Amino acid sequence: MAFARTCSVALVGVEGVVVEVQADLEPGVAAFTLVGLPDKSLTESKDRVRAAVVNSGAAWPQKKLTVGLSPASVPKSGSGFDLAVAAAVLGAAERVDPRVLADIVMIGELGLDGRVRPVRGILPAVLAAADAGYEQVVVPECAAAEASLVPGVSVLGVRSLRQLIAVLADEPVPDEEPDDLVGRPDPLLAGLRVPGTGAATGMHSVGAAHHDPGHDLADVVGQDAARTAVEISAAGGHHLFLEGPPGAGKTMLAERLPAILPRLSRQDSLEVTAVHSVAGLLPPGKPLIDIAPYCAPHHSATMQALVGGGSHMARPGAVSLSHRGILFLDETPEFSGQALDALRQPLESGYVVIARSAGVVRFPARFQMVLAANPCPCGRYSLRDDLCDCPPTSIRRYQARVSGPLLDRVDLRVTVDRVTREELSMRGARGESTATVADRVRAARERTLARLADTPWRTNSEVPGRELRSRWHAVRGAMDEAERSLERGALTARGIDRVLRVAWTVADLKGHDRPDDTDVLLALQLRTGVSRGASMSIGALA
């Protein structure tokens, strides 16, 4: 009996399980049996592996071949096991030394000609291998940069099975002729983005706002209150609701929000990159995402498109694609009520758990939500004039499409009024630029991180209310007005905690050691939308 084993990784969401791939050769009628709960694409690897081995110049063993994937109780899916299966078969056939294979993790799909193709989820798979104690990983050559992001792991990128055999057998490594791809996309990358899956719907190129000089806050005319709310939202990670007529600047403000967010930390970058790797949305030539993503799905998106799902194994939705970034829902009342209410759980927990018959998947989903809505179906309803023709019942029905429990989880609510003729005609009255605001946001976040250094939280929006009330108080008497609003029913218990969170962010922007009464009044005004005499000028925060 001839036996060999190597390892690969089975992904469940963005979490991986190391799978031992075992190959056993016995005398008998030539046959190839694959066991261990493989799915359809993995079962078809028998034909891919056989053709790849033969076309790579190695002999296929004419014996009874059994390949087992252990642990057998874990469902395995995808074509990323091809490379490990081929190596285990060659080890059992003694084409390579079986002892060399035992401590190597191999991830990659094989073409019939022996070329090694990339698969989704390389980064989370290598992270899982590193957590399990493995130090050597073999991946497709074009995915080696992504795998190398994991510290403490030696990565070997191979272009073909022939190259892998040569490395394992300590033979000269052959040179593979590159394809003539002038004017054509790389066919090896074709499977990473499947047309029609909807995975990239509403997904702007990651970091576009950081590199596009056309997206600058200075372009937004007027809207001091909304600009203040955007800055506070960025500094504290608070959710934001912008309501106003069409053309007032709601979308402009939302699109400029990612540019004032600080760059992601190393840990956050790995989390975001892992999600986008599973979804097949990593930018070409940039394996590590180090700036906040921005996702803006259309209002026709289903609940599965927002929170994740799928008929077999769940895929990440918009809330996970915007992890550590911005989820912008334009025309919020036009979204399905069921889809909007499905956001309530990830807003509180920071992750999504999706149960399917094939298993339970957990995706990270700690995002900033920005909602934008018109005040009525025609969009012209305002307390300042009577341009709206909508009946009162229609206005109430339209505004009720966004449920109260969802709005209760939004820290900042701002009315964006239409721009006046005087504001448009004023010359030299441009607001502060993105760079200026981003500097203040960065300084405020540094103050927050210093205060929360010994805690698991990094932004004011993440701090639980009980911790705020017990450890981080406002100045004595500063919360009196907010507590009176609670007694009148204008605020819920959750709402008063969120007022204190926003007040801490305002204090961090101003450089205060603790929130005072002006900080709390501004937070309360932005929470309730009721004017309380607090200054809404962006310059007041400098």
Side-chain angles (χ1 to χ4, degrees):
M1 180 181 73
F3 177 83
R5 63 185 178 88
T6 187
C7 296
S8 191
V9 177
L11 283 179
V12 182
V14 293
E15 299 174 353
V17 178
V18 175
V19 173
E20 188 175 78
V21 181
Q22 306 166 344
D24 175 71
L25 282 174
E26 296 180 354
V29 178
F32 189 171
T33 304
L34 183 64
V35 297
L37 286 183
D39 70 346
K40 180 66 173 176
S41 62
L42 183 50
T43 301
E44 292 174 348
S45 68
K46 296 187 293 184
D47 299 316
R48 291 194 301 270
V49 169
R50 182 187 292 109
V53 168
V54 172
N55 290 327
S56 298
W60 183 259
Q62 298 300 316
K63 295 181 180 180
K64 180 181 179 182
L65 171 62
T66 303
V67 173
L69 307 176
S70 179
S73 59
V74 177
K76 292 88 179 176
S77 61
S79 56
F81 292 87
D82 289 3
L83 201 58
V85 171
V89 171
L90 293 171
E94 299 183 350
R95 174 62 179 86
V96 297
D97 188 350
R99 294 172 297 181
V100 177
L101 304 174
D103 296 324
I104 302 178
V105 174
M106 302 187 184
I107 307 164
E109 177 186 329
L110 285 175
L112 299 184
D113 57 356
R115 289 185 302 168
V116 182
R117 305 174 64 98
V119 293
R120 297 179 180 179
I122 291 288
L123 177 59
V126 177
L127 284 170
D131 291 341
Y134 291 87
E135 298 178 352
Q136 291 182 295
V137 177
V138 178
V139 298
E141 184 181 57
C142 57
E146 180 183 347
S148 299
L149 296 173
V150 181
V153 175
S154 176
V155 178
L156 172 63
V158 294
R159 189 176 297 174
S160 67
L161 183 59
R162 285 200 311 150
Q163 289 185 338
L164 178 60
I165 293 172
V167 171
L168 296 176
D170 198 18
E171 300 171 354
V173 179
D175 290 330
E176 296 290 347
E177 292 293 333
D179 293 329
D180 182 13
L181 299 176
V182 178
R184 294 190 293 120
D186 189 347
L188 292 180
L189 304 177
L192 297 185
R193 287 194 176 190
V194 181
T197 60
T201 301
M203 190 67 195
H204 291 204
S205 57
V206 179
H210 286 261
H211 304 288
D212 186 357
H215 286 76
D216 196 297
L217 270 174
D219 298 331
V220 180
V221 177
Q223 308 302 357
D224 288 344
R227 289 171 60 99
T228 301
V230 166
E231 180 173 345
I232 295 173
S233 174
H238 305 287
H239 306 306
L240 174 64
F241 179 45
L242 302 171
E243 184 181 51
K250 304 185 295 296
T251 303
M252 287 183 66
L253 288 163
E255 289 177 344
R256 284 151 180 78
L257 177 56
I260 63 176
L261 292 176
R263 286 189 175 271
L264 301 178
S265 66
R266 177 72 178 185
Q267 180 60 36
D268 290 345
S269 295
L270 290 176
E271 292 177 6
V272 173
T273 303
V275 174
H276 286 75
S277 178
V278 170
L281 295 176
L282 283 182
K286 189 175 182 357
L288 182 66
I289 299 175
D290 59 355
I291 49 183
Y294 176 86
C295 191
H298 190 260
H299 59 73
S300 61
T302 63
M303 182 173 66
Q304 289 75 17
L306 285 181
V307 303
S311 58
H312 180 59
M313 186 57 71
R315 293 186 179 275
V319 296
S320 297
L321 295 176
S322 55
H323 178 60
R324 301 296 179 188
I326 304 297
L327 175 65
F328 177 47
L329 303 182
D330 200 4
E331 304 293 345
T332 306
E334 303 297 337
F335 280 80
S336 161
Q338 185 181 19
L340 289 177
D341 287 336
L343 301 176
R344 287 151 54 180
Q345 185 266 336
L347 284 174
E348 292 292 326
S349 63
Y351 58 85
V352 173
V353 177
I354 303 171
R356 293 291 184 269
S357 59
V360 178
V361 176
R362 171 172 164 158
F363 292 114
R366 189 163 296 282
F367 57 93
Q368 280 183 248
M369 181 177 67
V370 179
L371 308 178
N374 295 327
C376 67
C378 77
R380 295 180 294 178
Y381 175 75
S382 173
L383 297 178
R384 298 191 311 179
D385 48 49
D386 56 354
L387 299 176
C388 176
D389 297 326
C390 302
T393 55
S394 178
I395 297 174
R396 288 194 298 268
R397 190 182 306 114
Y398 185 81
Q399 295 177 347
R401 291 181 182 178
V402 183
S403 67
L406 178 63
L407 286 178
D408 197 40
R409 290 166 168 81
V410 178
D411 300 343
L412 308 170
R413 308 174 190 174
V414 181
T415 299
V416 184
D417 290 324
R418 62 175 59 89
V419 180
T420 63
R421 178 181 177 181
E422 289 75 17
E423 290 173 327
L424 279 175
S425 60
M426 289 177 63
R427 296 184 179 181
R430 286 165 58 91
E432 291 178 313
S433 68
T434 292
T436 301
V437 177
D439 288 340
R440 281 204 302 267
V441 169
R442 184 165 48 252
R445 288 230 179 182
E446 289 173 355
R447 295 188 188 98
T448 304
L449 286 172
R451 183 173 64 253
L452 304 177
D454 298 327
T455 71
W457 313 295
R458 285 171 287 178
T459 61
N460 290 319
S461 63
E462 299 176 9
V463 182
R466 65 180 182 277
E467 297 291 338
L468 286 172
R469 293 189 296 270
S470 61
R471 296 177 60 181
W472 292 292
H473 303 281
V475 173
R476 181 181 297 274
M479 292 293 292
D480 289 349
E481 182 65 24
E483 291 169 356
R484 284 193 289 270
S485 297
L486 175 66
E487 293 176 352
R488 294 195 301 267
L491 281 179
T492 63
R494 179 192 288 119
I496 199 169
D497 286 343
R498 292 180 179 271
V499 167
L500 184 54
R501 291 177 185 172
V502 175
W504 267 110
T505 301
V506 176
D508 288 335
L509 283 166
K510 291 182 177 181
H512 295 170
D513 293 333
R514 296 168 62 189
D516 59 21
D517 53 350
T518 61
D519 301 331
V520 174
L521 280 179
L522 178 55
L524 190 59
Q525 184 167 319
L526 291 172
R527 170 73 183 181
T528 62
V530 178
S531 177
R532 299 175 187 273
S535 173
M536 296 296 291
S537 172
I538 197 73
L541 299 180

